[in-house]
Amino acid sequence: MHVGGGADARAALLQQLGLGLSTYRLYPGDLAQPAFTAAVERIQAAARAALADGAVEAELRAGEVRLAGEVLGDERVQRLAEACFKRRVEHLRIVAVPDLDELAALFAALTREPHEVEEAGGAAELLAGAGTRAIVVSAGVPDPHSGREEGDTGAVDVAADAAVAVDPDAALPGLVAEPGETGTALYERLQAVHARLDDDTAARSTFFRRAVELVAALADREQAAFEDRALEHVSTDAFAERYVGHLTDPELAALLVRAGAARGVDPAPLGDGVRAALGRSDTVVALVRARGQP
């Protein structure tokens, strides 16, 4: 797990997120409420300090947050963890200073009824739909080759993940955003990093999860360029096959819908081709069709 900004700074950021969630609950949806805007400013200030040396990651369980393997005992953080865990958010990664709308999207997801979040495709889907890029959530740390469908809790083997390397940046070089990078350039950079990894490290490390985060942080046009190339080479390039193949069915369906919109075509046939190439279930195509044509 990357350690950035010092343990105190990371803990302070999570404390401010907990306070922000409590404030949002008092004024749900009122983003101009002075108490909420003040909470957002405190979170942003804490994020700038915590992100000084890289992204911040936390593992969440019922009433418990772990940073670099250490449990935070702060009550505000515990309430945040409880809200996350009830909605199957077991991993939280902050990669940039979130803006007001991104924080509102996170808090809105964490104040909806858990069954509503599940019916909407999960918290990650809600944040993605709101255009949130600074905050990445997931139900645990997915196995890169699992292709698991929504509804699989996917237990996290923290010890196995930690065993890849104490410092993931040392084991996985080059996995930081570069200003102005194009989708094509990012694809080639990640492809080169992947080529240097043995299969076991690529599968057990955070490589693919971090790759997805870098792609999501691209401008829409460049994200489309990256994803179009990955789909084009999914049958011929090991990196493309594993990048696309590690996605859950809802994530893959969302990618296909975006690709269909960028190409101006029905995404369902794209889904059929990818399903066949990767040996995935019919759920992928069903999800694409359920979303409708863009």
Side-chain angles (χ1 to χ4, degrees):
M1 181 178 293
H2 182 78
V3 178
D8 290 344
R10 296 195 307 274
L13 172 56
L14 291 174
Q15 290 167 358
Q16 291 301 327
L17 282 172
L19 287 171
L21 175 60
S22 297
T23 304
Y24 183 89
R25 283 171 168 161
L26 294 173
Y27 311 100
D30 187 359
L31 306 189
Q33 214 288 331
F36 182 71
T37 58
V40 168
E41 291 171 1
R42 290 193 298 268
I43 292 169
Q44 291 172 334
R48 281 189 284 272
L51 292 166
D53 194 35
V56 176
E57 295 187 67
E59 303 294 339
L60 306 105
R61 296 295 180 269
E64 181 180 288
V65 174
R66 289 181 178 268
L67 282 172
E70 296 183 6
V71 178
L72 299 185
D74 185 90
E75 183 179 349
R76 293 160 294 184
V77 175
Q78 291 172 348
R79 288 198 295 265
L80 173 67
E82 188 71 26
C84 287
F85 191 73
K86 286 181 177 178
R87 293 157 184 86
R88 295 186 61 238
V89 174
E90 300 175 11
H91 185 268
L92 172 70
R93 181 173 169 86
I94 302 172
V95 298
V97 177
D99 62 26
L100 182 147
D101 290 333
E102 290 175 313
L103 289 168
L106 172 65
F107 296 149
L110 295 180
T111 52
R112 292 180 66 171
E113 290 295 323
H115 71 88
E116 294 178 354
V117 174
E118 184 176 357
E119 290 168 1
E125 186 73 10
L126 289 173
L127 266 61
T132 303
R133 293 179 174 174
I135 304 169
V136 183
V137 301
S138 63
V141 181
D143 183 309
H145 300 291
S146 68
R148 73 174 185 271
E149 299 177 7
E150 201 69 20
D152 179 5
T153 57
V156 184
D157 187 346
V158 176
D161 190 59
V164 175
V166 174
D167 181 358
D169 282 342
L172 305 174
L175 296 185
V176 293
E178 295 187 358
E181 187 169 35
T182 66
T184 298
L186 177 60
Y187 182 96
E188 293 174 351
R189 184 159 65 94
L190 291 175
Q191 184 185 45
V193 172
H194 179 259
R196 296 197 296 270
L197 300 176
D198 59 70
D199 289 344
D200 185 61
T201 299
R204 294 174 56 221
S205 73
T206 61
F207 173 73
F208 288 101
R209 173 164 52 84
R210 295 169 69 190
V212 168
E213 292 166 7
L214 289 177
V215 175
L218 292 171
D220 290 345
R221 182 175 180 178
E222 299 306 328
Q223 181 180 358
F226 181 101
E227 293 176 342
D228 189 70
R229 183 161 183 177
L231 290 175
E232 181 181 354
H233 296 286
V234 72
S235 298
T236 58
D237 175 35
F239 167 67
E241 177 187 359
R242 293 175 183 176
Y243 175 86
V244 176
H246 98 285
L247 299 173
T248 64
D249 286 347
E251 290 170 339
L252 179 53
L255 184 155
L256 290 164
V257 169
R258 289 193 298 270
R263 299 180 185 185
V265 300
D266 180 355
L270 291 176
D272 282 324
V274 171
R275 182 197 60 74
L278 298 177
R280 295 288 282 268
S281 72
D282 293 336
T283 304
V284 171
V285 179
L287 286 170
V288 170
R289 289 182 176 134
R291 291 168 181 264
Q293 294 189 23

